[in-house]
Amino acid sequence: MFLQMNNVAKTFAQHEVFSGIDLSIQENQFVSLLGPSGCGKSTLLSMVAGLESATEGSISLGGKTILEPGTDRGMVFQQPALFPWLTVRDNVTFPLKDKLSKKEQDQIAAHYLKMVHLTRFKEAYPHELSGGMQQRVAIARALAMDPKVLLMDEPFGALDEQTRHILHDELMKIFQETKKTILFVTHSIQEAIKLSDRVIVMGTRPGRIIADFPVDVERPRQRDNSRVIELEQEIMELLKGEINKVLKEELDHETKHFT
């Protein structure tokens, strides 16, 4: 399998984030991790990126165990994390410094800025762009490294609904054109169903995988599609128990704290 997680566990101090994570992802699949806060979605993504290490188990990409960050994985965060003193083009080429000639860097930047429709903003600075445009620069920068896997941690979570829908369509075009494998973290059931080939639902307390839904609906997907509605209801029912569990534990904690 292309991206493989075997019995992965993560513990911070005395806190068990998750355990027993077994997940196989094929090349050129779009897979979303969905679940309530605290289930370990972002932590798991960081481990695939090599930014966090596993307490137990292993994660491998193309048969090679992941032990540290690498150019075979591109990361897009919720906040674009662009360098404010660099132009759009220079932000995109930053990971390529000292690896390619200036001409090659500019050619790559031109290719991906065209892909995200920002060619005419190549000399602009991040503060001159909208939030959605900044996130498109971050996606272009991640793609410029030509990674095998694109890792996306709630990349559209801070954007307004209209911009988010536009970027959903842009991401689908990028996915279909580049054939990249994408692992995508989200809190939104609708977003996960709209974008993904598979939706991996995680539970919490402890974190674990509780379901793996194939999204067997032809793209582009409409919210009023009967299968989309059915999937949304199935996933929501599954998550209700997990969300209620979190709320109950928080309420119990507050009650003990103030009594």
Side-chain angles (χ1 to χ4, degrees):
M1 195 58 66
F2 184 62
L3 178 60
Q4 185 74 43
M5 306 177 199
N6 293 317
N7 197 32
V8 176
K10 183 65 178 178
T11 302
F12 289 116
Q14 301 299 315
H15 173 61
E16 182 183 58
V17 182
F18 52 71
S19 63
I21 300 291
D22 290 303
L23 180 61
S24 299
I25 296 173
Q26 296 177 3
E27 194 168 6
N28 192 31
Q29 269 195 332
F30 193 125
V31 178
S32 285
L33 298 176
L34 177 71
S37 297
C39 69
K41 304 182 300 294
S42 293
T43 300
L44 188 59
L45 198 74
S46 292
M47 291 165 70
V48 177
L51 301 173
E52 295 277 355
S53 58
T55 306
E56 294 179 19
S58 65
I59 302 175
S60 62
L61 178 60
K64 182 181 177 181
T65 301
I66 294 172
L67 299 173
E68 59 186 0
T71 56
D72 55 352
R73 285 148 285 142
M75 187 83 170
V76 180
F77 299 93
Q78 184 171 353
Q79 299 300 327
L82 303 177
F83 297 112
W85 60 88
L86 295 180
T87 64
V88 164
R89 179 178 56 197
D90 289 343
N91 265 285
V92 172
T93 61
F94 186 81
L96 309 175
K97 297 293 184 185
D98 305 322
K99 297 175 183 177
L100 300 172
S101 69
K102 182 69 165 61
K103 182 179 178 181
E104 289 172 317
Q105 291 176 38
D106 288 345
Q107 287 174 339
I108 290 171
H111 175 71
Y112 288 110
L113 287 175
K114 182 179 179 181
M115 189 177 289
V116 298
H117 307 295
L118 288 175
T119 299
R120 69 189 184 97
F121 293 94
K122 63 183 179 180
E123 299 300 338
Y125 288 87
H127 73 272
E128 300 174 301
L129 307 179
S130 68
M133 293 165 74
Q134 289 181 28
Q135 198 59 291
R136 280 150 63 190
V137 176
I139 292 170
R141 180 178 60 188
L143 289 170
M145 298 187 298
D146 194 23
K148 294 179 180 178
V149 178
L150 190 60
L151 306 170
M152 309 187 81
D153 191 3
E154 296 191 69
F156 310 137
L159 303 176
D160 64 84
E161 186 173 2
Q162 183 177 356
T163 302
R164 196 160 58 242
H165 285 308
I166 292 169
L167 289 183
H168 286 164
D169 294 338
E170 293 295 333
L171 182 57
M172 274 297 95
K173 290 175 185 175
I174 290 168
F175 171 63
Q176 290 165 347
E177 183 174 339
T178 64
K179 308 297 184 186
K180 297 295 181 189
T181 304
I182 298 179
L183 187 56
F184 188 97
V185 166
T186 179
H187 276 100
S188 168
I189 297 173
Q190 294 170 7
E191 183 172 64
I193 294 172
K194 181 178 181 179
L195 297 175
S196 311
D197 297 312
R198 292 164 64 196
V199 179
I200 308 299
V201 182
M202 295 184 67
T204 189
R205 310 292 201 275
R208 67 210 186 282
I209 292 174
I210 57 177
D212 183 346
F213 287 90
V215 186
D216 48 351
V217 182
E218 194 171 326
R219 295 184 174 96
R221 295 166 184 158
Q222 304 300 324
R223 284 201 61 191
D224 59 357
N225 178 286
S226 59
R227 179 55 181 154
V228 167
I229 294 169
E230 182 183 357
L231 273 171
E232 190 173 331
Q233 291 172 341
E234 286 179 29
I235 295 172
M236 188 66 243
E237 280 301 313
L238 194 62
L239 283 175
K240 270 183 184 177
E242 298 300 317
I243 294 168
N244 288 336
K245 189 194 302 182
V246 173
L247 292 174
K248 183 178 184 304
E249 288 187 7
E250 289 176 354
L251 287 171
D252 289 346
H253 175 77
E254 289 177 6
T255 302
K256 290 176 183 177
H257 184 74
F258 290 107
T259 55

